């Protein structure tokens, strides 16, 4: 994957497949001498048992039937660990799953965060019946936060479909501009 | 910077348009493969371009959906077009540029772009 935002899209699609009704994508940037980028994807999908959680980052384990390999989680884990970061999956059957990746964005092998707005817009567009929340924070001396929430968009739209092309385009631009403002324009994009 | 007030304005504008109902039988469903294989191969920019073109041309009869891995990972990004009463058209190895042409030629004018289809791609291999 060329961008972490594509890993986020891929992992969130697993939440969609797990029957989640609400997915929260968290991006926390902590600047400083050893900057840290923490990405979490939290869903209320059907979850996994302990045995499945243990095997989930194994590229030769998959739930799908068309192929015997499942690279998605393995690729995200690799992207985190290549920067000296960490990766974890916590899950409870019937409750949901939390995928957490902590990365060092200044590391030589760090993949750029990329276009998170395009990822968010793609999720909203292709699963318009679900709720997607994007929470982006920048910590440090001048803390910033931005939250995009489909529940809020829905309230404003009053029945105009969330997945209609002009609305999706608005959401994409709105998130992109606010995200750049929150995280710092040239840092990851 | 864009604000939610603009979304309200967009809503009002779209509510006016929603009064004009199009015939349900003209509906076109466009499905983009969004499993790991599709995403890694570039499905997201294809989807982005599709949305841009649909918005630009105000195509109200086009709905966009996603699907998981359909087992032809080597041909991703894959885009399938479903129209009532017509055979499904499967486009393979899509790019944003190819998507723009599929919107004008196929979705607007009803002529599938044969050279981008899976039939053309497999024929090229067999020759």
């Amino acid at each position: 994957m060329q961008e972490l935002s594509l890993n986020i899209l891929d992992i969130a699609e697993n939440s969609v497949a797990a029957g989640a009704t609400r997915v929260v994508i968290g991006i926390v940037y902590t600047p400083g001498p050893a900057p840290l980028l923490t990405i979490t994807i939290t869903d209320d999908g059907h979850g996994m048992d302990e045995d499945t959680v243990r095997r989930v980052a194994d590229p030769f384990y998959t739930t799908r039937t068309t192929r015997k390999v499942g690279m998605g989680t393995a690729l995200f884990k690799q992207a985190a660990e290549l920067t000296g970061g960490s990766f974890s999956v916590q899950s409870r059957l019937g409750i949901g799953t939390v995928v957490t990746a902590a990365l060092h964005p200044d590391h030589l092998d760090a993949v750029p965060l990329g276009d998170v707005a395009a990822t968010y817009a793609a999720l909203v567009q292709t699963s318009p019946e679900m709720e997607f929340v994007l929470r982006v924070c920048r910590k440090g001396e001048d803390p910033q936060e931005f939250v995009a929430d489909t529940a809020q968009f829905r309230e404003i739209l009053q029945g105009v479909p969330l997945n209609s092309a002009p609305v999706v385009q608005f959401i994409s631009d709105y998130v992109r501009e606010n995200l750049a403002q929150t995280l710092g324009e040239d840092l990851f994009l | 910077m864009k604000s939610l007030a603009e979304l309200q304005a967009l809503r009002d504008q779209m509510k006016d348009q929603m009064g004009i109902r199009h015939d349900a039988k003209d509906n076109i469903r466009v499905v983009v493969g969004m499993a790991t294989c599709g995403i890694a191969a570039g499905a997201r920019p294809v989807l982005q371009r599709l949305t841009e073109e649909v918005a630009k041309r105000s195509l109200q009869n086009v709905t966009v959906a996603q699907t998981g891995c359909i087992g032809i990972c080597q041909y991703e990004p894959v885009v399938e077009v479903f129209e009532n009463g017509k055979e499904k058209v499967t486009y393979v190895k899509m790019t944003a540029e190819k998507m723009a042409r599929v919107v004008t030629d196929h979705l607007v004018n009803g002529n599938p772009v044969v050279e981008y289809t899976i039939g053309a791609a497999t024929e090229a291999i067999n020759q």
Side-chain angles (χ1 to χ4, degrees):
Chain A
M1 300 276 179
Q2 305 97 317
E3 300 179 357
L4 293 171
S5 67
L6 292 174
N7 292 108
I8 296 173
L9 176 58
D10 190 23
I11 300 297
E13 289 290 354
N14 293 344
S15 302
V16 174
T21 60
R22 189 166 188 269
V23 178
V24 181
I25 298 165
I27 299 174
V28 178
Y29 176 57
T30 314
L36 191 71
L37 184 66
T38 308
I39 299 171
T40 52
I41 295 116
T42 308
D43 73 47
D44 60 354
H46 55 53
M48 295 172 281
D49 59 36
E50 275 178 47
D51 191 43
T52 312
V53 169
R54 222 175 297 122
R55 291 187 295 168
V56 81
D58 174 356
F60 297 103
Y61 176 77
T62 185
T63 53
R64 69 175 154 182
T65 51
T66 49
R67 278 277 186 283
K68 286 202 171 75
V69 290
M71 304 297 290
T73 312
L75 288 171
F76 196 26
K77 181 172 191 269
Q78 186 189 41
E81 290 179 348
L82 276 176
T83 72
S86 61
F87 179 85
S88 73
V89 179
Q90 290 162 292
S91 191
R92 289 273 296 278
L93 268 181
I95 297 191
T97 301
V98 186
V99 175
T100 308
L103 305 98
H104 297 289
D106 60 336
H107 192 280
L108 207 58
D109 291 326
V111 177
L113 183 57
D115 196 350
V116 174
T119 281
Y120 184 75
L123 289 167
V124 172
Q125 182 175 27
T126 55
S127 303
E129 67 293 344
M130 285 175 55
E131 299 298 350
F132 290 100
V133 179
L134 174 67
R135 185 172 287 127
V136 182
C137 315
R138 182 193 177 96
K139 294 196 170 177
E141 283 170 17
D142 180 25
Q144 306 270 347
E145 191 186 37
F146 167 69
V147 180
D149 188 341
T150 44
Q152 192 185 15
F153 298 141
R154 237 181 269 279
E155 201 175 301
I156 294 171
L157 285 168
Q158 298 174 351
V160 170
L162 192 60
N163 62 340
S164 56
V167 172
V168 172
Q169 277 218 294
F170 168 83
I171 291 174
S172 177
D173 293 343
Y174 168 73
V175 171
R176 189 172 295 112
E177 288 176 15
N178 281 281
L179 211 118
Q181 177 91 5
T182 307
L183 286 180
E185 188 101 37
D186 40 66
L187 199 55
F188 306 113
L189 305 170
Chain B
M1 194 155 74
K2 284 229 175 327
S3 72
L4 290 175
E6 282 172 68
L7 185 59
Q8 287 180 15
L10 181 63
R11 169 201 71 202
D12 294 340
Q13 193 189 327
M14 290 188 67
K15 272 199 165 171
D16 292 341
Q17 289 172 4
M18 273 167 69
I20 315 156
R21 280 262 162 239
H22 58 268
D23 217 337
K25 72 175 190 333
D26 295 339
N27 272 340
I28 304 178
R29 197 172 133 84
V30 184
V31 178
V32 182
M34 296 278 271
T36 304
C37 46
I39 293 168
R44 198 186 63 186
V46 170
L47 176 67
Q48 236 173 316
R49 189 60 178 270
L50 170 63
T51 310
E52 271 171 39
E53 297 293 328
V54 167
K56 198 163 77 185
R57 290 158 209 281
S58 308
L59 304 178
Q60 293 190 33
N61 61 330
V62 175
T63 49
V64 179
Q66 59 97 20
T67 185
C69 177
I70 58 168
I72 48 167
C73 309
Q74 70 273 35
Y75 289 116
E76 293 283 354
V78 172
V79 173
E80 297 167 304
V81 178
F82 297 86
E83 283 177 277
N84 278 339
K86 289 186 188 169
E87 218 178 312
K88 172 183 81 174
V89 178
T90 304
Y91 292 111
V92 299
K93 297 193 175 180
M94 288 298 279
T95 61
E97 291 69 36
K98 287 179 172 180
M99 193 68 239
R101 191 169 151 209
V102 167
V103 171
T104 46
D105 287 15
H106 188 169
L107 306 189
V108 177
N109 292 318
N111 304 313
V113 187
V114 176
E115 58 189 286
Y116 300 164
T117 60
I118 189 160
T122 48
E123 222 166 82
I125 289 167
N126 292 337
Q127 270 170 10

